[in-house]
């Protein structure tokens, strides 16, 4: 039966054995208990003599930072992705279609409107410029009272086979966890894909231009991260900003060079290395700068795209000719995405001259 190994263990332990074995076991238990009590008292109130030993002092400091959680404001979170588990998955999708490029879209569980707009626009075809492109959505756990939402998500995934869900709380301050879980998924489920992109759900993506860009001569096949580059960005210390990061989380006044989180593209050898190196980087809630930090720790830096102007952030006005040339733009709504996409794809040349 299913629980066979669990049942077998207690039974074998309850067998009357030699008395010698019994007493040895009891002594061992006692030692374990003593060790537990000792380490607990040491960590909860480090003895003065402990502080004078450098390595131990360092360790006890680290321990207290990880366990001390402020009741309000940003919390320390653990960004080591293997700590979390996929509760909804499409684990073999890369083994059946071998994509050239995987688009990973972090999205809130309830935001089915954004997912549907993307499915009807830049994710509506798996064949792009002669290459296979796969689009998947990454979700965490909904914080709201789960009124049948999980069941709806299951149905949605049965229909589209494009949802990945992990068991962390899906909140704004947990976006770094979400990104690192995306990296973990790519490394473990899709290692054969040459390229991947993390792209936000409010984006216009000219997928054809991206696939064309990735096939240009000179585009690196490894250690490659590109997008809209951010240099010498100061860390926001004003408490009411969306991007506020306290000094305890990130002490340096500036971030390392990073690519803006709206959409960055990378060679798929990097995700596994990001996950590995994230073990030794203190997490902070700015996911794109965190990836910049991972790059720095790996001794790497982001690369400018062949045509840097193709990665655009905020747009002022839709222009068909311009949208036919760019790769990204941040949009205001899913309606805009569908409207602009339909217009771009209508027959006739997008540019007049
Ligand atoms: C982040 O996710 C973890 C794991 O689910 C959760 O314990 C924590 O409360 C979340 N933090 C925030 C700030 O939402």
């Amino acid at each position: 039966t299913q629980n066979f190994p669990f049942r077998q263990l207690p039974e074998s332990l309850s067998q009357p054995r030699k008395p010698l074995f019994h007493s040895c076991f009891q002594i061992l238990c006692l030692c374990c208990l003593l060790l537990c009590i000792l380490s607990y008292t040491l960590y909860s109130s480090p003895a003065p003599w402990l502080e004078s030993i450098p390595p131990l002092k360092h360790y006890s400091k680290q321990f207290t930072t990880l366990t001390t959680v402020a009741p309000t404001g940003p919390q320390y979170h653990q960004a080591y992705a293997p700590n979390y588990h996929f509760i909804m998955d499409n684990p073999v999708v890369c083994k059946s279609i071998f994509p050239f490029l995987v688009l990973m879209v972090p999205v809130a569980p309830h935001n089915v409107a954004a997912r549907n707009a993307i499915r009807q626009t830049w994710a509506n075809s798996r064949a792009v410029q002669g290459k296979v492109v796969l689009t998947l959505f990454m979700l965490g756990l909904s914080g709201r009272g789960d009124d049948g939402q999980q069941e709806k998500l299951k149905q949605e995934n049965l229909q589209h086979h494009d949802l990945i869900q992990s068991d962390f709380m899906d909140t704004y301050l947990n976006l770094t966890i979400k990104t690192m879980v995306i990296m973990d998924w790519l490394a473990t489920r899709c290692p054969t894909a040459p390229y991947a992109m993390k792209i936000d759900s409010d984006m216009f993506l000219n997928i054809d231009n991206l696939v064309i860009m990735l096939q240009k001569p000179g585009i690196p096949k490894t250690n490659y991260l590109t997008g809209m580059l951010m240099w010498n960005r100061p860390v926001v210390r004003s408490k009411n900003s969306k991007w506020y990061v306290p000094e305890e989380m990130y002490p340096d006044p500036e971030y390392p060079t990073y690519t803006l989180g709206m959409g960055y593209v990378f060679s798929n050898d990097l995700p596994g290395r990001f996950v590995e190196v994230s073990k030794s980087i203190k997490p902070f809630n700015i996911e794109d700068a965190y990836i910049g930090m991972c790059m720095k720790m790996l001794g790497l830096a982001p690369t400018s795209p062949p045509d840097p102007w193709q990665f655009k952030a905020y747009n002022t006005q839709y222009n068909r000719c311009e949208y036919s040339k760019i790769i990204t733009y941040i949009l205001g709504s899913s309606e805009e995405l569908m409207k602009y996409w339909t217009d771009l794809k209508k027959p006739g040349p997008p540019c007049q001259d």
Side-chain angles (χ1 to χ4, degrees), residues 120-140:
Q120 287 164 44
T121 56
W122 40 266
N124 75 352
S125 173
R126 276 190 177 169
V128 180
Q129 301 290 319
K131 295 283 178 183
V132 177
V133 178
L134 173 68
T135 304
L136 296 169
F137 299 97
M138 179 62 76
L139 293 62

Side-chain angles (χ1 to χ4, degrees), residues 282-302:
K282 197 168 176 176
F284 53 97
N285 51 297
I286 310 293
E287 64 88 18
D288 45 9
Y290 189 81
I291 290 296
M293 198 66 204
C294 290
M295 287 291 279
K296 192 181 164 184
M297 291 289 281
L298 291 169
L300 303 170

Side-chain angles (χ1 to χ4, degrees), residues 102-226:
V102 188
L103 306 173
M104 299 294 285
V105 189
V107 60
H110 66 87
N111 203 350
V112 62
R115 291 193 289 274
N116 281 335
I118 290 167
R119 286 176 185 129
Q120 287 164 44
T121 56
W122 40 266
N124 75 352
S125 173
R126 276 190 177 169
V128 180
Q129 301 290 319
K131 295 283 178 183
V132 177
V133 178
L134 173 68
T135 304
L136 296 169
F137 299 97
M138 179 62 76
L139 293 62
L141 290 176
S142 171
R144 311 168 168 202
D146 198 277
D147 44 4
Q149 190 175 59
Q150 200 54 33
E151 190 48 42
K152 278 186 212 150
L153 287 175
K154 264 187 210 158
Q155 292 304 321
E156 191 182 332
N157 188 44
L158 273 177
Q159 193 184 345
H160 300 285
H161 307 284
D162 59 2
L163 301 186
I164 314 290
Q165 191 182 26
S166 174
D167 64 352
F168 63 90
M169 290 305 298
D170 200 320
T171 60
Y172 174 71
L173 287 173
N174 270 349
L175 279 186
T176 299
I177 297 180
K178 207 172 197 175
T179 292
M180 295 316 291
V181 166
I182 282 176
M183 297 303 168
D184 187 39
W185 194 89
L186 287 168
T188 56
R189 310 290 203 268
C190 208
T192 54
Y195 295 100
M197 179 185 205
K198 180 252 159 185
I199 174 156
D200 285 341
S201 61
D202 59 349
M203 297 298 296
F204 185 95
L205 175 66
N206 191 321
I207 181 66
D208 290 86
N209 287 351
L210 175 59
V211 173
I212 291 168
M213 184 202 93
L214 286 172
Q215 293 182 86
K216 284 190 176 164
I219 295 291
K221 293 191 168 17
T222 58
N223 294 339
Y224 184 56
L225 170 67
T226 196

Side-chain angles (χ1 to χ4, degrees), residues 38-51:
L38 189 73
S39 39
Y40 178 79
T41 37
L42 281 187
Y43 290 137
S44 50
S45 58
W49 58 266
L50 195 71
E51 295 278 330

